[in-house]
Amino acid sequence: MKSYQKLTTAVPQPAACWVEEEGSASTPASRGKLTPWWVGSGLLLAAVLLSTVTVWVLRQVSGGWPGPTPPPKCLLVPESHRFDCYPEQHVVVTQELCESRGCCFIESPPPAGGKQGVPWCFYPPDFPSYTLESLNQTALGLMGLLVRREKAYYPQDIEMLRLDVEFETDTRLHIKITDAANPRYEVPLEVPQAMKRAENPIYSLDFSRNPFGVLLRRRATGTVLLNTTVAPLIFADQFLQISTSLPSRFLYGLGEHRGTLLHSLDWSTLTLWARDVPPTESFNLYGAHPFYLLMEEGGDAHGVFLLNSNAMEVALQPAPGLTWRTIGGVLDFYIFLGPDPNMVIQQYQQVIGFPAMPPLWALGFHLCRWGYGSSNETWQTVRAMRNYQIPQDAQWNDIDYMDGYRDFTFDAQKFASLPSLVEDLHKHRQRYVMILDPGISSTSPRGSYWPFDEGLKRGLFLNTTQGQPLIGQVWPGFTAFADFSNPDTHQWWLENLQHFHAHVPFDGLWIDMNEPSNFMDGSEDGCPPGELDSPPYTPAVLGDSLSAKTVCASAKQKASVHYNLHNLYGLMEAKATASALIQIRGKRPFVISRSTFPSQGRYSGHWLGDNRSQWKDMYYSIPGLLSFSLFGIPLVGADICGFSGSTSEELCTRWMQLGAFYPFARNHNTQNEKAQDPTVFSPAARTAMKDVLLTRYSLLPFLYTLFHRAHLQGDTVARPLFFEFPRDVATLGLDRQFLWGRSLLVTPVLEPGVDSVTGYFPRGVWYDFYTGSSVNSSGEILKMSAPLEHLNLHVREGAILPTQKPGITSEATRGNPLRLIVALSQSATAWGDLFWDDGESLDTFERGSYSYLVFNVTQNIFTSTVLHASTEATEVTVGTLSIFGVREPPSKVLLNGQEKPFSYLDNQVLTVGDLGLSLSQGFSLRWL
């Protein structure tokens, strides 16, 4: 262990000492270059001094300061580096209030449009923080003791903290800060336990002793990824705050919010507190994902995950810098070093868990609406879809199927034929999914509604502080809320589903309203006074209260109080629901949840909530689905054509084209609006919708293989372009296009009244998916024809896509011949793979009941190699091989040495048909 004094500026500062962790990458030349408050002291100090002089001159010109001149230590802090000392909402921060906290007060002009701006009240460089009193080696890393000698300004300041650092892998670092003397609530999430210390980490870690701070660098580049000395650490019982500098402005993640994929660091605050509200910019939405991905200069990437489920906000500022604020739990950070963005997301999922493998039918087209009104009307829609031969795998019902909106019931009059409808769906190899809410009706006469009676008897509902079931109001009226943190509730949930399945044999479940949503704030009796419902600090939540449109934070649950568990409610319900489906059906579960939390991909997918039938909502769905790819929930999509409001034929056609490339594709509509399923539109629009769904179904083998890779190792399915082109800065802000996997580029039309679209094509050759014609891009924006019936799709050079002749269900498609699309690179090579199993059995990969093939092209020879085989593959044939980018017309084509007829077009596409090869047999095809 070595220590050394840091170089200081003229700013008055506490003694600062950097402690170098043994084996770190620091060199003598790099020592002393970081002060506790400023990174890269030379340039930044110059900027600070310039800023100070400029401010001083301006003040003199304008007649001086409005009050007493701020102390020099305050003037030295440039605006972009002012970390907010008074973040409370709806408080007019005066100089007196600010200085009572020991902070600097300098007024700044308010920004236009009522947005956040530079904080007037900010920390001075010498604001008291914790001191690192000791630091000792452990088997996995380090353990330290942090001491605060001066109280901060929130109640129940914790004076002594324990620091645990574990070098878990060469690319993963775990830093945890908690109360040294008393246990605190921690998220009950299963995480991997490191067994030995990383031997060759690609990061180095140093500490500042006073004030305490963490400095994390990437060894290869020296880039500083975290520097937490930029503002003081505060750790009170109900206010935990830590800030860091960021190495760039390219920040993603931190959900669930509506906005662009790339976050603005212009003084924005993102709140994480699950809330039922139609997706709206700047609001905290349905789920909480305290994880960010950051792209560094030069194309490297890292990620940071705060394992904390309490109400939280993340403040972003242009320094660039970031502040985590949470009101409970501990500071439990995982840092993932990548170094490329794909690897960061894989490393994140190694901690939270890889997503479940969905059944194949989950990847087909789903149709739903609230307001079918009856099972017969629902059935008519299904028949119309079949009549027009439009692909559909699943029919859904919203809450109108229920009797009085009560779970586990169906309306005996309007939905009397529901069991027959489900039977008919199954005969046509289609599936049925219905909605469930966690609010259980509490007003039925005793003995008439088993779910409530039995839940009450077993004590399975959220309780008030007085120990009685908390009663709120949802669709059926007054309701109690199931406590999914109690394992006994999972059994009760299973029994209810078993009873219902005996009458209506559903195939999947849609769990809604699970933030949990409540039409009352808190309960029918409000919420009691106290520090849980009225904490010392409330993050910037919609409604300004933790109980706004949900239950009281003080509600009691089996595992803890709702204050700690609120953001986990949807996750816990999804876990119970997936488990029940497995026990009932014995097959892979299909669950779609509105509220989500890290690790939810193991149990469910997600839809982006109650969007509107507007063009901007269609656009916002792309950053939404790409963000959930980062969060480890690849089975995601938005309500196609919009949920609320009335769609137009043009909007719905364009949205069906985009939605056909959501990993989870469902058209859903609200009540009292005109129908928007494909059958109700003009023949031209209906045909366009049908065609794009057939395109999706043709790509099911490719999509299914992508989901296998997601399940196996955490690959993303829908993918931002910068994941594949991290060194191309033009891709860093793109969120109007996306990729499936690494090789299929989707460029949708997102505006009305146009017949063309522009899209960015990274450097390389891209082939038109439909024709095989190529474009060789130098990294440029191209304008393409996009009539209403056309969606632009392009295949990246070097890829091989397994496709299939589409049927109108995924099962019908499964039996059809495969067509392998080869997109040759400029060096005439290509690669692809295919995962194939029965499409629905549990753990097929883990049990070895699958086939896996690798396709390769080199030196004009295509080879299909079977790396693992199962019986299902014997039932499928490879029918056609289409090779894009064959520069010279071949004279002959040999299949396993035998000559085969072929066609060759002027756009350099070679096609060999009528192959009739069993998928279970390897083969080679050569062209001369």
Side-chain angles (χ1 to χ4, degrees):
M1 203 77 64
K2 301 172 186 173
S3 66
Y4 47 89
Q5 195 71 26
K6 285 178 52 63
L7 298 176
T8 59
T9 68
V11 185
Q13 297 206 4
C17 176
W18 286 96
V19 179
E20 182 182 340
E21 197 282 306
E22 285 188 3
S24 87
S26 297
T27 63
S30 71
R31 295 180 185 175
K33 288 189 180 174
L34 283 140
T35 72
W37 294 93
W38 314 119
V39 180
S41 58
L43 287 173
L44 188 51
L45 181 57
V48 170
L49 292 172
L50 180 61
S51 170
T52 305
V53 170
T54 303
V55 169
W56 183 84
V57 170
L58 288 173
R59 288 294 184 186
Q60 299 311 306
V61 170
S62 62
W65 297 93
T69 304
K73 66 180 181 182
C74 299
L75 291 172
L76 276 172
V77 182
E79 288 189 347
S80 64
H81 288 68
R82 292 178 184 174
F83 286 82
D84 199 346
C85 176
Y86 218 112
E88 279 81 354
Q89 300 291 303
H90 310 300
V91 174
V92 177
V93 182
T94 63
Q95 184 165 350
E96 182 181 13
L97 283 175
C98 178
E99 291 178 352
S100 71
R101 292 186 169 184
C103 290
C104 295
F105 184 83
I106 298 178
E107 292 184 31
S108 301
K115 295 181 179 179
Q116 289 177 266
V118 180
W120 291 12
C121 184
F122 57 94
Y123 295 106
D126 59 354
F127 191 94
S129 186
Y130 287 85
T131 301
L132 178 59
E133 290 289 314
S134 64
L135 192 63
N136 299 300
Q137 296 279 345
T138 65
L140 295 175
L142 302 161
M143 188 184 76
L145 191 65
L146 311 180
V147 176
R148 175 180 275 283
R149 292 191 166 80
E150 290 187 49
K151 286 273 190 186
Y153 44 84
Y154 285 106
Q156 300 182 65
D157 225 6
I158 297 170
E159 295 177 19
M160 217 171 341
L161 301 176
R162 172 175 167 151
L163 168 72
D164 286 289
V165 178
E166 294 186 353
F167 304 98
E168 294 194 342
T169 73
D170 289 344
T171 56
R172 185 173 82 226
L173 176 66
H174 187 188
I175 300 176
K176 185 174 176 181
I177 302 173
T178 188
D179 189 332
N182 300 295
R184 292 178 61 79
Y185 164 77
E186 297 186 26
V187 182
L189 188 70
E190 297 171 20
V191 292
Q193 298 300 313
M195 304 308 292
K196 65 173 185 175
R197 180 176 173 145
E199 294 177 0
N200 297 295
I202 66 171
Y203 50 85
S204 67
L205 185 65
D206 301 318
F207 298 95
S208 166
R209 280 198 185 278
N210 185 20
F212 165 73
V214 172
L215 180 77
L216 179 68
R217 285 188 181 94
R218 184 179 297 283
R219 281 181 185 266
T221 60
T223 302
V224 175
L225 308 183
L226 298 176
N227 175 13
T228 69
T229 65
V230 293
L233 167 66
I234 297 179
F235 201 122
D237 183 42
Q238 290 181 273
F239 185 88
L240 292 71
Q241 177 176 279
I242 191 167
S243 302
T244 182
S245 63
L246 299 171
S248 86
R249 298 176 62 94
F250 299 109
L251 183 84
Y252 312 85
L254 298 172
E256 182 177 4
H257 298 94
R258 165 178 282 206
T260 55
L261 179 64
L262 176 65
H263 285 302
S264 167
L265 270 58
D266 190 19
W267 304 108
S268 60
T269 297
L270 302 168
T271 306
L272 280 65
W273 183 248
R275 165 69 193 234
D276 171 8
V277 62
T280 305
E281 297 88 320
S282 82
F283 288 177
N284 49 296
L285 302 182
Y286 309 107
H289 292 272
F291 166 81
Y292 71 76
L293 171 76
L294 188 137
M295 294 299 296
E296 303 155 32
E297 305 292 341
D300 287 338
H302 71 273
V304 177
F305 171 41
L306 173 54
L307 180 49
N308 181 294
S309 62
N310 289 90
M312 183 190 305
E313 62 191 15
V314 184
L316 307 175
Q317 63 192 77
L322 176 150
T323 298
W324 299 92
R325 293 188 200 106
T326 181
I327 61 172
V330 301
L331 297 176
D332 191 1
F333 288 101
Y334 288 86
I335 302 99
F336 311 99
L337 275 290
D340 77 53
N342 292 289
M343 294 170 73
V344 171
I345 302 307
Q346 290 173 349
Q347 291 156 13
Y348 176 41
Q349 291 173 94
Q350 286 167 6
V351 170
I352 62 171
F354 295 127
M357 183 68 188
L360 178 63
W361 65 267
L363 307 184
F365 179 62
H366 301 248
L367 190 55
C368 184
R369 78 162 301 169
W370 181 19
Y372 282 120
S374 70
S375 48
N376 285 341
E377 190 177 331
T378 310
W379 209 338
Q380 283 177 350
T381 302
V382 173
R383 289 185 180 121
M385 290 286 286
R386 289 179 195 152
N387 182 53
Y388 287 114
Q389 292 285 292
I390 301 171
Q392 182 188 2
D393 259 82
Q395 179 61 49
W396 296 37
N397 276 124
D398 207 319
I399 55 174
D400 45 334
Y401 80 88
M402 298 179 185
D403 181 9
Y405 298 138
R406 293 179 303 166
D407 277 354
F408 313 114
T409 68
F410 67 93
D411 187 317
Q413 274 75 48
K414 294 178 181 175
F415 281 80
S417 61
L418 183 57
S420 300
L421 164 60
V422 175
E423 183 182 1
D424 178 68
L425 287 167
H426 290 165
K427 280 181 182 173
H428 287 84
R429 298 190 285 183
Q430 295 172 302
R431 306 308 199 279
Y432 181 69
V433 179
M434 88 275 186
I435 196 169
L436 279 178
D437 294 338
I440 303 298
S441 175
S442 61
T443 56
S444 298
R446 183 70 58 87
S448 67
Y449 185 49
W450 192 87
F452 179 74
D453 293 341
E454 194 65 20
L456 188 64
K457 184 171 127 185
R458 300 187 200 178
L460 303 180
F461 298 123
L462 270 65
N463 284 335
T464 65
T465 54
Q466 305 303 309
Q468 298 300 311
L470 182 147
I471 302 299
Q473 187 173 8
V474 201
W475 296 113
F478 289 113
T479 56
F481 296 87
D483 177 11
F484 291 102
S485 79
N486 185 344
D488 295 340
T489 305
H490 293 217
Q491 178 61 31
W492 163 85
W493 193 245
L494 167 65
E495 290 169 25
N496 279 294
L497 287 167
Q498 285 173 326
H499 296 156
F500 192 74
H501 192 268
H503 300 284
V504 181
F506 54 84
D507 301 286
L509 290 167
W510 169 24
I511 51 177
D512 190 16
M513 307 291 286
N514 54 352
E515 291 73 32
S517 177
N518 183 1
F519 297 164
M520 299 173 158
D521 288 353
S523 77
E524 61 177 342
D525 300 316
C527 297
E531 59 191 15
L532 295 179
D533 292 299
S534 303
Y537 180 81
T538 301
V541 297
L542 177 62
D544 302 320
S545 165
L546 297 183
S547 63
K549 210 171 179 186
T550 188
V551 300
C552 298
S554 58
K556 293 181 176 179
Q557 296 188 236
K558 178 78 170 180
S560 187
V561 288
H562 192 72
Y563 181 91
N564 293 326
L565 300 178
H566 173 83
N567 281 339
L568 300 175
Y569 195 91
L571 168 64
M572 290 176 166
E573 186 191 13
K575 193 172 181 179
T577 305
S579 173
L581 278 169
I582 290 169
Q583 292 179 72
I584 291 168
R585 299 181 69 248
K587 297 174 182 176
R588 279 177 231 161
F590 173 75
V591 182
I592 294 293
S593 175
R594 191 167 73 179
S595 190
T596 58
F597 190 79
S599 80
Q600 189 127 356
R602 297 169 60 188
Y603 312 107
S604 85
H606 172 64
W607 96 105
L608 296 172
D610 295 339
N611 61 3
R612 302 165 189 85
S613 296
Q614 297 176 4
W615 289 89
K616 75 168 187 174
D617 286 62
M618 177 167 61
Y619 153 67
Y620 276 127
S621 72
I622 301 177
L625 75 92
L626 294 178
S627 292
F628 273 86
S629 290
L630 308 190
F631 301 147
I633 306 177
L635 189 63
V636 60
D639 284 346
I640 297 171
C641 301
F643 173 69
S644 65
S646 195
T647 193
S648 68
E649 180 163 291
E650 182 190 11
L651 172 61
C652 199
T653 303
R654 293 302 195 189
W655 209 329
M656 283 290 292
Q657 290 169 343
L658 168 60
F661 286 84
Y662 293 156
F664 164 59
R666 180 186 70 162
N667 179 317
H668 180 43
N669 191 8
T670 191
Q671 61 180 353
N672 303 321
E673 294 288 353
K674 61 185 181 185
Q676 62 185 37
D677 64 84
T679 69
V680 302
F681 293 102
S682 70
R686 185 173 64 237
T687 300
M689 295 178 188
K690 175 180 176 178
D691 286 349
V692 78
L693 287 176
L694 288 170
T695 300
R696 178 192 179 88
Y697 273 64
S698 76
L699 282 159
L700 284 179
F702 175 58
L703 181 61
Y704 193 64
T705 301
L706 292 177
F707 269 95
H708 166 68
R709 298 176 71 87
H711 170 63
L712 188 63
Q713 60 193 38
D715 284 6
T716 52
V717 175
R719 189 172 302 178
L721 271 76
F722 75 82
F723 268 50
E724 291 300 317
F725 303 93
R727 284 167 175 72
D728 182 349
V729 294
T731 66
L732 295 178
L734 294 181
D735 58 9
R736 301 173 73 87
Q737 298 168 275
F738 58 96
L739 293 161
W740 265 12
R742 61 181 303 274
S743 52
L744 185 64
L745 178 62
V746 183
T747 308
V749 172
L750 301 172
E751 297 168 346
V754 299
D755 59 6
S756 65
V757 65
T758 58
Y760 181 74
F761 285 75
R763 178 179 295 275
V765 176
W766 296 85
Y767 296 94
D768 184 291
F769 171 79
Y770 309 98
T771 67
S773 297
S774 66
V775 56
N776 193 343
S777 174
S778 60
E780 53 201 300
I781 296 172
L782 300 177
K783 184 177 181 180
M784 296 165 283
S785 175
L788 190 60
E789 69 276 6
H790 185 70
L791 170 70
N792 278 278
L793 295 174
H794 289 83
V795 186
R796 182 182 177 186
E797 64 169 298
I800 300 176
L801 305 189
T803 72
Q804 203 160 19
K805 181 183 177 183
I808 62 166
T809 66
S810 60
E811 279 197 38
T813 302
R814 273 180 61 81
N816 290 338
L818 289 166
R819 175 189 175 216
L820 305 178
I821 297 176
V822 179
L824 292 179
S825 70
Q826 293 171 81
S827 56
T829 61
W831 186 93
D833 62 345
L834 173 64
F835 177 82
W836 192 271
D837 63 9
D838 69 7
E840 63 179 6
S841 294
L842 292 162
D843 304 322
T844 55
F845 178 78
E846 292 77 4
R847 292 186 291 104
S849 301
Y850 68 95
S851 293
Y852 181 69
L853 292 85
V854 168
F855 310 117
N856 201 53
V857 172
T858 184
Q859 296 180 331
N860 290 6
I861 301 173
F862 174 99
T863 56
S864 172
T865 306
V866 181
L867 297 185
H868 193 278
S870 68
T871 55
E872 283 80 17
T874 61
E875 301 162 10
V876 185
T877 59
V878 178
T880 305
L881 202 57
S882 295
I883 306 170
F884 298 166
V886 178
R887 293 175 188 168
E888 299 294 332
S891 58
K892 67 169 75 170
V893 169
L894 303 176
L895 174 64
N896 294 332
Q898 301 295 311
E899 198 163 336
K900 288 286 291 184
F902 64 91
S903 68
Y904 180 82
L905 301 178
D906 290 343
N907 63 348
Q908 302 185 341
V909 175
L910 168 65
T911 302
V912 187
D914 298 321
L915 295 175
L917 296 163
S918 170
L919 185 63
S920 61
Q921 300 295 315
F923 68 92
S924 68
L925 184 139
R926 183 179 184 187
W927 60 98
L928 305 168

